Amino acid sequence: MPPPPEDDGSSSARTPLIPPTPPPPGRAVARLHPLPLLVAAAFAASCHLLVAPAPSYYRSLFLSLGSNDTAAAHLHALTLRPHLAGTEANARAAEHVVSALSSLSFPTRVVPYSVLLAYPVHRSLSLSAPGHATTPFALVQDTYPGDPYAAVSAEAVPTFLAYAASGSVAAEAVYANYGRPEDFAYLAARGVDVTGKVVLARYGKVYRGDIVINARKAGAAAAVIYTDAKDYAAGEAFPDGPWMPPTGVQVGSTFKGVGDPTTPMWASSEGCERVSVAEAMATDDMPGIPALPVSGRDGEAILQLIGGDVAPKDWQGGDGSPVYRLGPGPAVLNLTYIGNETMATIQNVISVIEGKEEPERYIILGNHRDAWTFGAVDPNSGTAALLELAQRFSELQKKGWRPRRTIILCNWDAEEYGLVGSTEWVEENRAMLTSRTVAYLNVDSAVYGAGFYASATPQLDELLKEASKQVQNPDNETHSLYDLWMASDSSSMIKIGRLGGGGSDYSAFVQHIGIPSIDISMGSVASMWGLVALRLSDEEILPFNYSTYAVELENGAIDINKRLLGVPVSSSPLQKSIAEFKRAALQMDSEMKTRKVWNPWRNNPLKVRDLNERLMMTERAFTDREGLSGRPWYKHLIYAPSLHDDYGAQVFPGVDDAIQMAERTNTSESWRSVQHEIYRIARVINQASQENYLVIVNKKT
């Protein structure tokens, strides 16, 4: 694969850029605490609109426009039928999104891609053991009495694991806890041979694809993954409560890569180069063995017939569960899975609100549309929020608002299969997005419980906190979303996660091209989402703060230092680069605070643009063209998924990968690789410092 072209700021030939459920009706919508709207409106009127209202006026107005009814109507329309990627039902859902956005007079288009998806053709699983009759499992999720969607539920895809290998296996069962590398290492240490066996593992700690791949690497012939009651049934089950019912099954993808498997590292555009389906299915990112998901009830039935040594205490189930044993056998699982891996068309929906002063600078908001079943929470609570937010933006336009920078609304497809739609779009528009994008704001599931949670690249931490103080808690009119956020953690401290995991569509933006990003869920999401977007789109100087980033780098280095005690590796280059970055970040933040009080550049848009350019591009400096060793798609050297858990966010992933290898092999060459990775990180941090220092050097000019 040739390196990406140098960016000239031009658009690609196909660019689309230029022409539990939302709160019930009656719940209070979020509103801004200060700045009464009438005062701002009266001021604008007194000026006879000769002077445009300040951005703060439009932010106040935006927060006053929330409509639970609008969001609820969109959610109902989107979730009438199961709508898996590549199906007619999902195409219908795309039509609803297009219609909703087009009705607001926003230029909107569908961007299709042909990608490799997988669907089940045949599945069967039975359990046998000496002295016991063979038990065939139905592999069906029961509906509940009075379920209004019972009939249409038949349209849902049967329970399966996408991209699992086709085949039949009959072998003794081995229990492998959560299916992590350390779990298989424990089995090996206890003399439990996994080779040729069917591994039974439970969801809960790592990505399901990692579970199956770990089983394959341990020599297993097939894998079964179940939802243990201890982790997923700790209270009242659906529909009476939020917990998994006895026959509930977690389906999902087992592909460890990102994007279309037939176009690794490049976009799945029309007429492009592709690897064959057989080649795509044979890569190490695919599970490579047959696998099926089963319910907690079926998993417990299997565990009751597994013998051998008693599993450790932390491998056991909750109260009332049988004693879990390691095996192998005498339980025998007979598993068959036949899948259909086929090229299918997916549809991203892209809508543009063009900016006035800086139309070539983009604030991108994204949410995916496809779902394994109905998608009421994941993802269509987020889709409904996106459409409700768009309605508010349209109302602002009617009041005279036009964003300073362009806002792009994106509704992705095939996220569930491996972040496919967003990844292909980013890969196709990589050069343009790298040069023009200010930030990406992601929402997967808007609401699915109490509290508010957010993850971000660190320069956006303060913006999130400030915005949350202005949004009302939808469940308590006397408190802000910030208060709810504080209460969401027992330590009464704001905790912001990081975007190193591969769990949603921010992945391509952060980990592939280095775009500052946010991922939020729960609470008054549309208000929070839109308020952050308005501040990023309308403020003259971008509200970024890199001091927090310096603290994050320092914390990551502390962990690395602990792991390097007593080994022939020096972390000095990393320490020096972080210290330099911290000095640059503090100076930049001080400069930013000064300019908020007195800005000598108000009549010099070129100076403002230069400052914003460097604020925007600092995150790009953390990327490296070669990517992580052995994982070249991941270009960001600060944040990427853990090597053994695609959902887990890892700081300094290249160093972590190298340390894990060195700890296993303990060779001089492996420790030299660790040292090399430390130097690589030091270089990109130094590069980021230079982006910051260039602002400081020019501050008096």
Side-chain angles (χ1 to χ4, degrees), residues 327-518:
V332 170
L333 287 171
N334 190 328
L335 180 155
T336 295
Y337 173 73
I338 305 298
N340 175 26
E341 292 77 39
T342 185
M343 301 303 295
T345 298
I346 63 171
Q347 298 176 310
N348 293 336
V349 179
I350 311 295
S351 191
V352 178
I353 308 173
E354 189 173 7
K356 183 178 181 181
E357 289 89 352
E358 300 179 63
E360 75 292 349
R361 291 288 175 260
Y362 303 151
I363 314 300
I364 303 177
L365 285 68
N367 153 269
H368 77 95
R369 179 185 66 258
D370 64 297
W372 293 114
T373 55
F374 291 92
V377 172
D378 181 6
N380 297 130
S381 62
T383 314
L386 181 71
L387 297 178
E388 194 265 326
L389 178 152
Q391 175 70 42
R392 296 200 219 179
F393 285 160
S394 177
E395 293 298 318
L396 292 188
Q397 285 189 324
K398 294 174 183 177
K399 302 295 184 181
W401 169 78
R402 188 173 174 187
R404 178 186 182 92
R405 304 175 184 94
T406 294
I407 295 175
I408 303 174
L409 308 177
C410 302
N411 186 230
W412 310 118
D413 202 351
E415 186 267 3
E416 298 290 2
Y417 278 88
L419 317 179
V420 180
S422 59
T423 297
E424 296 310 313
W425 191 76
V426 169
E427 289 177 340
E428 183 175 28
N429 298 286
R430 176 172 48 196
M432 179 171 52
L433 293 173
T434 300
S435 67
R436 299 183 179 186
T437 306
V438 172
Y440 174 70
L441 314 178
N442 188 72
V443 168
D444 196 334
S445 304
V447 287
Y448 53 89
F452 175 77
Y453 301 92
S455 298
T457 47
Q459 74 275 63
L460 294 170
D461 286 5
E462 291 305 312
L463 173 58
L464 279 171
K465 293 175 184 177
E466 291 169 5
S468 70
K469 293 176 182 178
Q470 295 180 285
V471 176
Q472 182 181 299
N473 179 348
D475 296 315
N476 187 333
E477 296 183 8
T478 65
H479 290 80
S480 69
L481 196 60
Y482 180 85
D483 299 325
L484 176 65
W485 196 0
M486 288 278 287
S488 298
D489 189 87
S490 58
S491 64
S492 296
M493 294 178 60
I494 290 293
K495 287 190 176 180
I496 300 176
R498 297 302 168 216
L499 297 176
S504 195
D505 289 302
Y506 55 78
S507 179
F509 291 91
V510 178
Q511 299 156 13
H512 189 56
I513 61 174
I515 302 295
S517 298
I518 286 172

Side-chain angles (χ1 to χ4, degrees), residues 104-179:
L104 304 174
S105 299
F106 298 152
T108 302
R109 63 174 293 185
V110 170
V111 183
Y113 295 97
S114 179
V115 300
L116 181 67
L117 301 182
Y119 305 96
V121 175
H122 175 74
R123 313 153 304 132
S124 65
L125 181 69
S126 63
L127 170 68
S128 62
H132 295 268
T134 299
T135 301
F137 294 110
L139 303 180
V140 173
Q141 301 185 87
D142 296 337
T143 58
Y144 61 90
D147 181 0
Y149 294 96
V152 75
S153 292
E155 297 180 18
V157 66
T159 56
F160 80 120
L161 295 176
Y163 302 112
S166 295
S168 296
V169 175
E172 292 179 318
V174 171
Y175 172 54
N177 197 22
Y178 292 106

Side-chain angles (χ1 to χ4, degrees), residues 588-603:
M588 175 185 278
D589 291 344
S590 176
E591 180 76 9
M592 296 274 288
K593 291 176 183 177
T594 299
R595 295 197 185 284
K596 287 182 179 180
V597 178
W598 174 72
N599 186 0
W601 294 353
R602 290 193 185 279
N603 296 318

Side-chain angles (χ1 to χ4, degrees), residues 560-632:
I560 294 295
N561 286 333
K562 291 177 181 178
R563 299 172 68 184
L564 294 179
L565 291 174
V567 301
V569 176
S570 171
S571 64
S572 177
L574 178 60
Q575 302 286 357
K576 290 179 180 178
S577 67
I578 293 174
E580 190 74 4
F581 181 85
K582 185 175 184 178
R583 282 193 291 271
L586 290 172
Q587 286 181 276
M588 175 185 278
D589 291 344
S590 176
E591 180 76 9
M592 296 274 288
K593 291 176 183 177
T594 299
R595 295 197 185 284
K596 287 182 179 180
V597 178
W598 174 72
N599 186 0
W601 294 353
R602 290 193 185 279
N603 296 318
N604 193 335
L606 291 179
K607 292 295 184 182
V608 172
R609 184 179 178 87
D610 180 69
L611 173 59
N612 285 335
E613 185 83 7
R614 302 191 189 287
L615 286 167
M616 184 176 80
M617 297 304 290
T618 297
E619 187 72 39
R620 315 288 199 277
F622 292 125
T623 64
D624 181 273
R625 176 171 243 155
E626 296 179 359
L628 296 180
S629 299
R631 297 192 283 164

